Amino acid sequence: VERTLSIIKPDATKRNLTGKINAKFEDAGLRIVAQKRIQLTKAQAGEFYAVHKERPFYDELCEFMASEPVVVQVLEGDGAIAKNREVMGATNPADAAPGTIRAEFAESVGENSVHGSDAPETAAVEIAFFFSGLELV
Ligand code: ATP
Ligand code: MG
């Protein structure tokens, strides 16, 4: 089985949508094997999203991710990385397929409710960014 790192972003935690989003993951066959609520500093958000450092929206993205608590979680299942991204929907909610998390809950391309790792290598790095081995069974 595969594991991926998911983040329920500030726009969604603020609107108390954690349970509704988790239900979407579970309905898709993903298992939440670790989960915690944290608040990132802007510097920590910047480190997490370092790959986007040169993008025009980087500063806005880091401010947003540090603006309210987030829920970070590890999802497990067969093909979890692709399955999670399918359940999330397209980055821009205007392009997201009906029934996806972003179609139902996202407010804009920036405030789009969830993050999901995009490949096995990034999943491993992103899981280790937030969780120690002791927190993962
Ligand atoms: P994520 O990495 O959060 O799972 P993604 O892989 O669908 O989302 P990326 O291209 O990796 O999208 O962008 C990372 C995040 O940066 C997006 O989820 C969104 O919050 C923000 N973002 C992306 N494009 C824009 C944009 N044009 N304007 C504002 N914010 C953006
Ligand atoms: Mg991405």
Side-chain angles (χ1 to χ4, degrees):
V1 295
E2 192 171 70
R3 287 180 169 184
T4 191
L5 189 279
S6 166
I7 305 178
I8 302 179
K9 294 183 178 182
D11 66 284
T13 59
K14 193 162 58 180
R15 288 176 290 148
N16 210 19
L17 293 171
T18 299
K20 285 189 173 129
I21 289 171
N22 280 347
K24 294 268 194 199
F25 294 142
E26 291 182 338
D27 289 348
L30 292 164
R31 181 179 298 277
I32 302 160
V33 298
Q35 173 170 268
K36 59 190 174 189
R37 182 174 183 263
I38 61 171
Q39 184 151 10
L40 293 168
T41 63
K42 191 178 170 185
Q44 289 166 334
E47 192 188 339
F48 180 77
Y49 274 122
V51 63
H52 295 306
K53 208 162 33 201
E54 307 305 331
R55 311 280 285 275
F57 56 80
Y58 178 69
D59 193 65
E60 176 193 338
L61 175 62
C62 298
E63 286 275 2
F64 166 62
M65 291 300 289
S67 66
E68 294 271 341
V70 295
V71 173
V72 293
Q73 48 192 192
V74 178
L75 307 180
E76 180 182 274
D78 291 331
I81 295 168
K83 190 175 281 182
N84 179 39
R85 290 184 70 83
E86 194 180 313
V87 178
M88 286 164 48
T91 309
N92 186 341
D95 303 327
T100 61
I101 292 167
R102 283 164 169 169
E104 288 193 15
F105 303 124
E107 304 198 291
S108 66
V109 64
E111 306 203 359
N112 60 0
S113 303
V114 281
H115 163 85
S117 307
D118 58 13
E121 305 73 45
T122 48
V125 171
E126 291 180 0
I127 289 170
F129 188 91
F130 290 111
F131 293 95
S132 74
L134 275 175
E135 293 175 296
L136 294 164
V137 293

